[in-house]
Amino acid sequence: CDVEEPNGQLFLHPKITKREIINTRVPRVDYQLCDFCGACARACRFNALAVLQKSVMIFDELCHSCGNCLASCPRDAISEIERPIGEVFSGHSGEVRFLQGRLNVGEAQSPPLIREVKRRLDSDRLVILDAPPGTSCPALNSVSGADFVLMVTEPTPFGLNDLDLAVQMVRKLGLPCAVLINRADVGDDRTLRYCAEHELEVLAQIPEDRELAQAYARGKLAVDALPRLRPIFEQILTRVTALAGGAR
């Protein structure tokens, strides 16, 4: 779901079997019907339309495809066309089904593409979503509806600040969560103290490791490059599965 900076294919090396163009709908004005009353612009919460004396400016990148402009037009002068915003790639990596969205360069909104990726998920299987960082709309759309959220952080002031924001977002959504601390030996104990104060379970602490960084730079999975880390990730999966509700 990190459609602005997708990198899952670099590590899973999937065989892509399907590629879909994803479109959104944006308005267009029929000037033979339009009387430039401005109702469409007033109805748009996202300032995607500006009505001038004899023309209507439409900012496609700001449009949320909500349909308010169509509904508000008293002369039915507005219709919609499809506009491509990105692609969804489907395939397999061994027994793992692979889905990935890729937003077109220059697009301002990724949530519509994220929703299209999630719409193609197989809910009968264990699904791991790679969410974008932060707490803005892309991250919120990615974790919404999840059974469990695992937040990855680093024990630094910057990492702790982002973790606190993420915790607030996840708890506002009412989702169960836990924390994984990466590069655990580069900072201080403030992150651990924060987790204790906010009753957040720390599922694992992964130490700073040059070999791991080199493997990452070569596009190798940690469990393949450093087999000694495999038990840590197995424990994480077991605990997340239990916290998420057992069978799911």
Side-chain angles (χ1 to χ4, degrees):
C1 289
D2 191 0
V3 299
E4 295 178 74
E5 296 184 9
N7 63 358
Q9 81 285 355
L10 300 178
F11 297 92
L12 294 175
H13 309 290
K15 179 181 180 181
I16 300 300
T17 56
K18 188 176 183 181
R19 175 178 173 181
E20 302 173 76
I21 303 295
I22 304 300
N23 299 296
T24 58
R25 301 186 67 80
V26 293
R28 288 297 181 265
V29 176
D30 183 344
Y31 285 112
Q32 293 184 336
L33 299 175
C34 179
D35 62 0
F36 310 102
C37 68
C40 55
R42 290 191 296 272
C44 181
R45 296 178 56 195
F46 308 103
N47 299 313
L49 298 99
V51 179
L52 307 179
Q53 188 173 5
K54 290 296 180 181
S55 64
V56 179
M57 295 180 66
I58 300 173
F59 306 98
D60 289 346
E61 292 78 9
L62 298 179
C63 178
H64 282 57
S65 306
C66 65
N68 272 354
C69 55
L70 277 76
S72 66
C73 181
R75 297 177 62 86
D76 294 326
I78 299 179
S79 59
E80 288 183 320
I81 64 168
E82 291 195 336
R83 186 177 74 88
I85 60 168
E87 298 175 276
V88 172
F89 300 86
S90 307
H92 292 84
S93 176
E95 297 180 359
V96 177
R97 185 186 174 201
F98 179 84
L99 277 170
Q100 179 168 275
R102 185 173 68 189
L103 194 68
N104 288 345
V105 174
E107 286 295 327
Q109 297 181 60
S110 59
L113 182 56
I114 292 172
R115 289 193 289 270
E116 286 298 316
V117 173
K118 294 177 68 176
R119 197 167 64 84
R120 290 160 173 76
L121 299 178
D122 184 353
S123 59
D124 293 330
R125 305 181 66 172
L126 170 66
V127 178
I128 300 174
L129 301 179
D130 176 25
T135 55
S136 60
C137 290
L140 190 148
N141 275 265
S142 298
V143 304
S144 178
D147 295 305
F148 191 84
V149 179
L150 178 60
M151 293 174 288
V152 182
T153 188
E154 295 181 354
T156 62
F158 182 80
L160 181 56
N161 177 75
D162 283 1
L163 175 63
D164 180 49
L165 294 173
V167 169
Q168 293 181 53
M169 176 188 72
V170 170
R171 288 187 166 169
K172 192 75 172 179
L173 294 172
L175 302 175
C177 60
V179 175
L180 185 150
I181 300 178
N182 191 31
R183 304 179 67 209
D185 47 0
V186 301
D188 50 39
D189 67 344
R190 280 183 289 181
T191 301
L192 285 173
R193 286 191 278 115
Y194 172 89
C195 292
E197 292 168 5
H198 291 79
E199 298 181 340
L200 291 165
E201 182 175 348
V202 178
L203 299 192
Q205 298 186 60
I206 300 177
E208 170 84 340
D209 192 311
R210 184 178 180 85
E211 286 184 78
L212 185 55
Q214 291 173 334
Y216 180 87
R218 294 194 300 268
K220 292 187 175 181
L221 292 173
V223 292
D224 294 333
L226 284 77
R228 65 178 182 274
L229 295 178
R230 182 176 291 272
I232 296 177
F233 286 96
E234 290 176 343
Q235 292 169 15
I236 293 170
L237 177 59
T238 300
R239 185 58 179 154
V240 167
T241 303
L243 293 171
R248 286 193 61 81

